[in-house]
Amino acid sequence: MKRNEVNYNDLSPMMKQYIDIKKDYPNELLFYRVGDFYELFFEDGEIASRELELTLTGKNAGLSERVPMCGVPFHSVNPYIEKLVSKGYKVAICEQLEDSKDSKSMVKRGVIQVVSKGTVIESGFLNEFDNHYIASILDFSYLYVICYADISTGSLSVMSIPHQKEKLLSEILNLGILEVILKDNFDVELIGLLKGNYGIEVSISENILENQYQNLYENLEDEHLKESVRHLIYYLVVRELKDLSHMNPAKQIFLDDYLEMDVHTVRNLELIETLRLKERTYSLLWLIDKCKTSMGSRKLKQWLMNPLKDKNLIMDRYNKIDIFHNEFILKDKLRNALYKVYDIERICGKLTCGNLNARDFLQLKNSLGTLPEIKEICEELKFDYPLNTHPEIYDLLERAIYENPPVTIKEGYLIKTGYNEELDELKEVRSGGKTFIADFEAKLKETTGIKTLKVGYNKVFGYYIEVSKGQVSQVSDELHWERRQTLTNCERYISPELKEKEALILNAEEKIIELEYQLFLEVKQYIKEKLLSLLDTAEILSELDALCSLSVCAEEYHFVRPELNEEHHIEIKAGRHPVVEKVSNQEYVNNDCIMDKSINTLLITGPNMSGKSTYMRQLAIIIILAQMGSFVPASYANLPIIDKIFTRIGASDDLVSGESTFMVEMKEAKNAICNATINSLILFDELGRGTATYDGMSLAQAILEYISKNIQCKTLFSTHYHELTGLERNFSNIKNIHVSAKEENGSITFLHKIKSGAVDKSYGIHVASLAGMPKSLLNRANEILNYYEQESKKKKQTDEDTIQLVMNFEEEKKTDDLREYLNQIEPLRVTPMEALNILYELKQKI
Ligand code: ADP
Ligand code: MG
């Protein structure tokens, strides 16, 4: 039975109400609260029963046939919602807005919140280490603006991105955005990619929020950015009915404040997950995360994904790590204190958008309880963090919240004795009910002298005074007792005092629960008004935790503090790849990497399995660690500040987009070549391998030449094409290095040691023999190899001519004033006024 096909007028009042509400939420699964259950009807019921593996039943709704229905108990609804949301559904939660006892007609109902992939905040769905973002992306034809929020922590950020699809996609994937809100004019192909290839939830919404939450965007100057924030919060506030009072004002992110890494680089270097298993374990983040709080872990991840370019900011982190090294006792104390801090950010998120309970408050209280100690440590360390310890919130929670509360907030046992007089009286009545009755009975016996008098209780009459027939005469009128019931051998009365007490006792329980709930809400409201400053505290704690973690790593893994230079000079002594070092059961062989100003490219040759890829990754990781403010795995390091890292490592077919290895390879190479500057780092690992030998080799050489002449950025280029090593002779900025191997009695040992110069052998046949290939096959391979080697010696001279040929084709590298001037302009940062001035100056220069 379909919802749209039933006749509205035939329906029962409740089902009419359902249809009225459902009209506004046609695309959401409507969880409709009926007593202790949420019920889903019609198509929603069918979907839910299928996805949640629940029985589909029916409900009488005034029609001849029962309406399809599926129900879940209200107290265990969260896992069901999470499951549906993770499958890409949106869930609208419709509650009873008044107590069914209080209303004589239909209970009022209404949707209180919509939950979608980007806005679930129940803990079952959230990973403590990651932010969960929902974003608005607006396309302004010449740039994209992206505004992203994590509802669970209250963070809100906005940035503009150049109008390039790959860049936009890279940002979305690097941030791990789960849901995007777009306008109707958005590129259809991109929508397809987001949805189909990357499983990102896409919603279309045209409107922007008016007259509400101005505080979230009024700090921004650019109208585009403002619009994007308002577009996102319209969706959150109007469509999903979220309370955003815990949101921080939007923070503008400038992409070029950070080392740029596209999504391939992040994956290839296994910064946050491994390539093969897509797991956090064995990633760089896994290695360096020694945080004591999940807020710290999230902060560290943000740092790793956004290494800095400002020398002073980087040095500031180094300095703090140094301080921790010197003050290791204070550092340990700080870490112990941080260990007691819960996820304050997520508690704040729950407070406005989720089901916060009294246990969350206890976690908050315990967290705040350690702040005075943390503040003291910070002062001793001479860190100038303005840490607010929120004594007033701590004090309130300490006075108000009961130590052992239940998970629900509608069963009482939330509030401590001594916090509220009325509540204490009610509790006394409840627990005192029995004592009161006994005392009352004794008192009556004494005042009336009736020895057989008893006070009892039954369901029909409530509390009564019972006097046996023989003593009824002693019940005088002055007592003002009222006869209620006559039994064979006794009479039962009630008295005004007993009546009054009875009302109190019987109502006490109900009132206690209601009052505790109200008091709980008052506490919540009080804290809600202080949320933003509470979030500032959380921010400081997460930063402290992340810094401590970096310091612990530096010690545990013997990292050193790098020096930073502005002379394009790389000097790493005894560098290591920290993850390989940690995970491998072999002794790690450290390696230097020296590239002074005059060297741009190291051309790396060496047998398979010798350590070329590891060496390249090692350099990138050392640079990323250095710029995120961490010490680095080496005995000495002097590094330039890099603006962008590009990598092409490993032969991974982009399975999702279905492109061949070679196509992906060329796209990544193009991306690097078109976007790299003299301050960038490029890693090309066996580029060109995906096509026929001469084809690949020619491309590889052309690319190398292009980089060396036109970009001149630091480049590591590993290759099996030994012919390329000849380039060293023609380009003073290309240098050959190789990874050494030792050949003994026909077998080879990998030394993993980098040496200068090229190897002339690739030992491919040795590796094949290690892999257990048949002897006869290997012999034949050696024969063929000998033949080719003879041939190539004959051809050597012609090869060199070829190199020359290619070089002459290259255009001269262009450097003129105008170009330099244009290069300096950062379009995303200039104001319209400055743009006019620039235009004027450009004309002058011509
Ligand atoms: P290639 O790229 O030359 O084929 P890899 O860089 O993939 O080689 O390294 C192959 C293996 O050798 C790695 O998995 C690692 O275990 C080991 N290895 C590489 N470099 C080192 C090193 N410096 N010290 C110890 N083991 C290393
Ligand atoms: Mg390799």
Side-chain angles (χ1 to χ4, degrees):
M1 198 188 322
K2 302 242 180 312
R3 177 168 52 91
N4 287 333
E5 290 166 3
V6 298
N7 187 348
Y8 183 80
N9 293 324
D10 295 344
L11 293 170
S12 63
M14 195 190 87
M15 197 50 70
K16 278 192 178 131
Q17 187 193 41
Y18 171 83
I19 297 282
D20 292 341
I21 294 175
K22 176 72 191 173
K23 250 198 277 172
D24 291 333
Y25 298 92
N27 302 320
E28 288 81 4
L29 297 175
L30 185 65
F31 275 55
Y32 188 76
R33 180 74 177 263
V34 182
D36 286 345
F37 282 84
Y38 288 101
E39 298 181 349
L40 295 99
F41 303 117
F42 298 103
E43 292 89 340
D44 286 2
E46 283 161 9
I47 292 173
S49 81
R50 191 178 62 237
E51 300 287 2
L52 301 173
E53 296 174 31
L54 296 171
T55 330
L56 188 68
T57 58
K59 182 150 189 128
N60 285 323
L63 308 171
S64 54
E65 218 182 307
R66 300 208 310 165
V67 167
M69 180 192 93
C70 169
V72 296
F74 86 96
H75 53 80
S76 57
V77 69
N78 283 338
Y80 293 112
I81 294 180
E82 283 154 22
K83 191 158 178 198
L84 289 171
V85 167
S86 65
K87 289 181 174 213
Y89 295 98
K90 290 180 190 167
V91 170
I93 301 162
C94 173
E95 289 291 352
Q96 298 180 176
L97 299 179
E98 55 190 5
D99 203 319
S100 49
K101 284 191 302 246
D102 304 341
S103 86
K104 284 166 203 78
S105 56
M106 216 33 229
V107 189
K108 229 192 252 148
R109 290 189 175 84
V111 171
I112 56 147
Q113 207 181 119
V114 175
V115 179
S116 57
K117 209 175 201 170
T119 61
V120 213
I121 77 160
E122 297 311 330
S123 43
F125 187 82
L126 294 182
N127 173 347
E128 62 194 279
F129 298 130
D130 295 322
N131 280 106
H132 288 242
Y133 292 123
I134 178 167
S136 143
I137 304 171
L138 297 184
D139 183 345
F140 292 104
S141 312
Y142 59 102
L143 55 78
Y144 294 111
V145 174
I146 167 165
C147 169
Y148 53 98
D150 183 342
I151 305 282
S152 75
T153 65
S155 79
L156 183 65
S157 313
V158 62
M159 63 186 170
S160 49
I161 297 179
H163 203 262
Q164 294 168 20
K165 286 186 198 173
E166 298 108 65
K167 272 228 164 84
L168 177 68
L169 210 53
S170 239
E171 275 316 312
I172 296 174
L173 297 177
N174 275 348
L175 283 164
I177 289 170
L178 297 170
E179 181 174 1
V180 293
I181 317 301
L182 309 170
K183 287 195 177 185
D184 214 14
N185 69 347
F186 205 78
D187 186 286
V188 183
E189 189 198 344
L190 256 177
I191 295 184
L193 266 177
L194 291 172
K195 262 197 200 166
N197 294 7
Y198 301 107
I200 294 169
E201 209 46 47
V202 175
S203 305
I204 303 293
S205 158
E206 297 299 316
N207 305 357
I208 61 170
L209 195 67
E210 310 281 352
N211 307 324
Q212 247 184 302
Y213 290 114
Q214 283 97 333
N215 66 311
L216 295 184
Y217 55 82
E218 66 198 356
N219 57 317
L220 301 169
E221 275 174 20
D222 188 310
E223 289 303 321
H224 301 113
L225 301 184
K226 280 187 184 174
E227 187 177 334
S228 173
V229 178
R230 295 168 72 186
H231 180 243
L232 178 64
I233 59 184
Y234 177 89
Y235 179 84
L236 294 173
V237 173
V238 179
R239 288 302 304 166
E240 298 211 335
L241 308 168
K242 302 286 182 208
D243 176 350
L244 301 184
S245 42
H246 66 304
M247 278 278 154
N248 269 306
K251 184 175 163 211
Q252 183 174 359
I253 308 283
F254 293 96
L255 275 182
D256 39 311
D257 285 347
Y258 302 101
L259 167 60
E260 181 183 322
M261 303 181 278
D262 63 9
V263 64
H264 307 293
T265 301
V266 171
R267 287 189 184 161
N268 285 332
L269 297 175
E270 307 192 307
L271 296 187
I272 53 174
E273 61 182 25
T274 53
L275 268 173
R276 237 183 278 169
L277 298 177
K278 305 249 169 281
E279 281 176 358
R280 192 177 196 268
T281 313
Y282 303 141
S283 68
L284 183 63
L285 182 59
W286 162 81
L287 185 85
I288 62 171
D289 187 354
K290 305 277 174 193
C291 288
K292 293 287 185 186
T293 69
S294 20
M295 298 186 288
S297 294
R298 291 196 296 269
K299 174 63 70 188
L300 197 68
K301 179 175 170 187
Q302 286 168 13
W303 284 0
L304 177 61
M305 294 293 280
N306 300 288
L308 300 166
K309 278 163 41 183
D310 180 322
K311 191 169 170 179
N312 291 328
L313 295 177
I314 300 174
M315 300 279 263
D316 184 53
R317 291 188 192 160
Y318 294 167
N319 291 342
K320 292 198 166 107
I321 295 175
D322 267 337
I323 294 177
F324 278 132
H325 282 357
N326 296 333
E327 301 284 352
F328 52 92
I329 297 177
L330 286 174
K331 177 178 73 183
D332 282 349
K333 263 171 104 177
L334 179 58
R335 295 188 81 218
N336 288 336
L338 284 168
Y339 188 60
K340 292 180 227 149
V341 173
Y342 291 86
D343 199 334
I344 298 176
E345 287 177 342
R346 292 248 161 105
I347 294 175
C348 292
K350 265 189 176 177
L351 202 146
T352 55
C353 290
N355 302 324
L356 180 102
N357 61 31
R359 292 184 185 179
D360 296 313
F361 272 155
L362 288 184
Q363 292 190 346
L364 181 60
K365 184 186 85 178
N366 293 337
S367 309
L368 297 181
T370 59
L371 291 187
E373 188 189 351
I374 292 177
K375 191 177 174 73
E376 210 181 287
I377 298 171
C378 281
E379 277 159 12
E380 284 184 62
L381 290 168
K382 303 201 172 53
F383 285 176
D384 51 354
Y385 289 111
L387 185 67
N388 182 343
T389 57
H390 302 284
E392 70 301 334
I393 301 181
Y394 178 83
D395 185 54
L396 173 66
L397 293 173
E398 173 64 22
R399 280 187 299 119
I401 305 297
Y402 179 63
E403 275 92 2
N404 195 8
V407 200
T408 60
I409 51 173
K410 295 218 168 146
E411 288 173 11
Y413 299 97
L414 306 172
I415 305 291
K416 266 188 186 168
T417 313
Y419 177 68
N420 178 284
E421 250 177 64
E422 191 187 344
L423 180 66
D424 289 351
E425 275 171 24
L426 284 169
K427 284 185 184 162
E428 211 148 277
V429 172
R430 180 176 64 185
S431 67
K434 288 216 177 68
T435 5
F436 168 81
I437 298 298
D439 291 352
F440 186 67
E441 189 182 283
K443 192 180 86 186
L444 285 184
K445 275 186 190 167
E446 206 183 302
T447 52
T448 60
I450 306 171
K451 291 278 162 336
T452 57
L453 178 147
K454 270 199 299 195
V455 176
Y457 174 84
N458 79 22
K459 275 216 173 118
V460 187
F461 296 102
Y463 284 98
Y464 55 78
I465 306 161
E466 187 180 286
V467 179
S468 63
K469 280 272 158 72
Q471 294 183 304
V472 167
S473 58
Q474 283 173 265
V475 177
S476 73
D477 284 350
E478 279 138 57
L479 289 170
H480 299 293
W481 289 3
E482 204 179 300
R483 191 191 312 247
R484 265 297 154 91
Q485 197 181 11
T486 304
L487 301 175
T488 37
N489 49 7
C490 63
E491 293 283 347
R492 287 177 176 173
Y493 305 85
I494 52 166
S495 79
E497 197 186 354
L498 186 59
K499 194 83 192 133
E500 196 183 307
K501 217 57 191 181
E502 175 193 84
L504 274 179
I505 296 171
L506 294 184
N507 285 332
E509 184 68 30
E510 209 172 297
K511 280 194 185 152
I512 286 172
I513 288 177
E514 181 53 30
L515 183 57
E516 289 208 24
Y517 180 63
Q518 289 310 326
L519 292 170
F520 183 82
L521 293 185
E522 275 173 36
V523 173
K524 200 167 148 179
Q525 186 56 34
Y526 178 85
I527 297 176
K528 198 168 156 184
E529 277 153 27
K530 317 221 161 204
L531 272 190
L532 291 187
S533 83
L534 209 49
L535 284 171
D536 287 343
T537 298
E539 170 74 17
I540 294 174
L541 293 174
S542 60
E543 205 170 309
L544 280 171
D545 198 10
L547 284 167
C548 268
S549 175
L550 291 180
S551 147
V552 171
C553 278
E555 259 175 9
E556 188 175 328
Y557 306 131
H558 309 288
F559 289 1
V560 293
R561 175 175 174 147
E563 284 169 30
L564 301 173
N565 67 68
E566 268 134 44
E567 281 87 47
H568 298 109
H569 177 69
I570 296 182
E571 184 175 355
I572 297 170
K573 292 275 174 61
R576 285 127 41 211
H577 186 304
V579 180
V580 176
E581 180 182 32
K582 167 92 181 168
V583 172
S584 160
N585 36 23
Q586 277 179 14
E587 184 85 5
Y588 193 86
V589 180
N590 60 47
N591 274 306
D592 299 348
C593 180
I594 317 279
M595 294 172 93
D596 61 20
K597 199 180 160 112
S598 65
I599 300 295
N600 296 123
T601 302
L602 293 181
L603 188 63
I604 311 168
T605 43
N608 276 314
M609 289 298 289
S610 61
K612 298 183 296 300
S613 304
T614 309
Y615 181 71
M616 298 172 85
R617 288 202 176 99
Q618 173 179 315
L619 174 64
I621 283 175
I622 287 177
I623 281 169
I624 291 168
L625 282 172
Q627 288 183 222
M628 79 178 276
S630 165
F631 288 7
V632 298
S635 65
Y636 171 81
N638 193 343
L639 305 166
I641 291 182
I642 298 288
D643 64 351
K644 308 174 190 184
I645 296 184
F646 299 94
T647 59
R648 170 60 214 179
I649 297 182
S652 66
D653 271 305
D654 195 340
L655 290 178
V656 251
S657 68
E659 282 176 338
S660 74
T661 310
F662 190 65
M663 186 62 186
V664 176
E665 190 171 16
M666 286 302 117
K667 276 192 170 170
E668 288 181 20
K670 179 219 124 195
N671 182 35
I673 288 164
C674 296
N675 291 300
T677 75
I678 188 164
N679 294 315
S680 305
L681 172 70
I682 295 181
L683 306 182
F684 280 159
D685 196 2
E686 299 184 29
L687 197 75
R689 173 172 75 164
T691 182
T693 311
Y694 283 106
D695 215 13
M697 190 170 81
S698 318
L699 270 169
Q701 178 174 334
I703 289 172
L704 263 174
E705 289 177 355
Y706 187 91
I707 294 174
S708 299
K709 283 165 56 187
N710 299 339
I711 309 175
Q712 305 192 326
C713 63
K714 298 293 180 209
T715 305
L716 297 190
F717 199 109
S718 77
T719 187
H720 279 299
Y721 304 126
H722 295 288
E723 292 82 349
L724 294 184
T725 56
L727 281 170
E728 192 185 45
R729 268 170 282 152
N730 301 316
F731 286 85
S732 63
N733 56 0
I734 296 184
K735 186 172 179 294
N736 288 330
I737 58 172
H738 70 279
V739 199
S740 55
K742 199 166 68 182
E743 192 175 0
E744 253 175 5
N745 311 327
S747 72
I748 51 168
T749 324
F750 300 117
L751 302 175
H752 303 306
K753 199 73 189 170
I754 294 284
K755 301 202 168 139
S756 55
V759 282
D760 51 2
K761 263 182 144 175
S762 64
Y763 300 96
I765 298 173
H766 290 286
V767 175
S769 116
L770 281 183
M773 285 272 192
K775 193 105 197 133
S776 60
L777 187 151
L778 293 170
N779 290 339
R780 174 67 185 139
N782 267 320
E783 259 173 55
I784 301 174
L785 179 67
N786 277 333
Y787 169 77
Y788 279 127
E789 276 173 355
Q790 295 310 319
E791 284 293 293
S792 83
K793 265 185 200 139
K794 279 184 231 151
K795 270 175 58 189
K796 198 150 192 168
Q797 194 48 50
T798 22
D799 271 351
E800 267 157 32
D801 294 345
T802 327
I803 292 170
Q804 210 54 49
L805 184 85
V806 181
M807 279 172 56
N808 292 339
F809 266 116
E810 282 296 343
E811 313 163 59
E812 274 305 292
K813 192 183 173 204
K814 291 196 183 110
T815 44
D816 52 60
D817 271 7
L818 209 53
R819 242 163 240 281
E820 231 160 61
Y821 182 74
L822 278 172
N823 261 330
Q824 284 167 9
I825 301 170
E826 299 179 52
L828 297 181
R829 288 214 183 187
V830 298
T831 65
M833 195 57 214
E834 283 165 347
L836 269 181
N837 283 335
I838 290 171
L839 206 56
Y840 179 75
E841 268 178 51
L842 279 174
K843 283 218 87 152
Q844 294 283 306
K845 278 185 195 289
I846 300 172

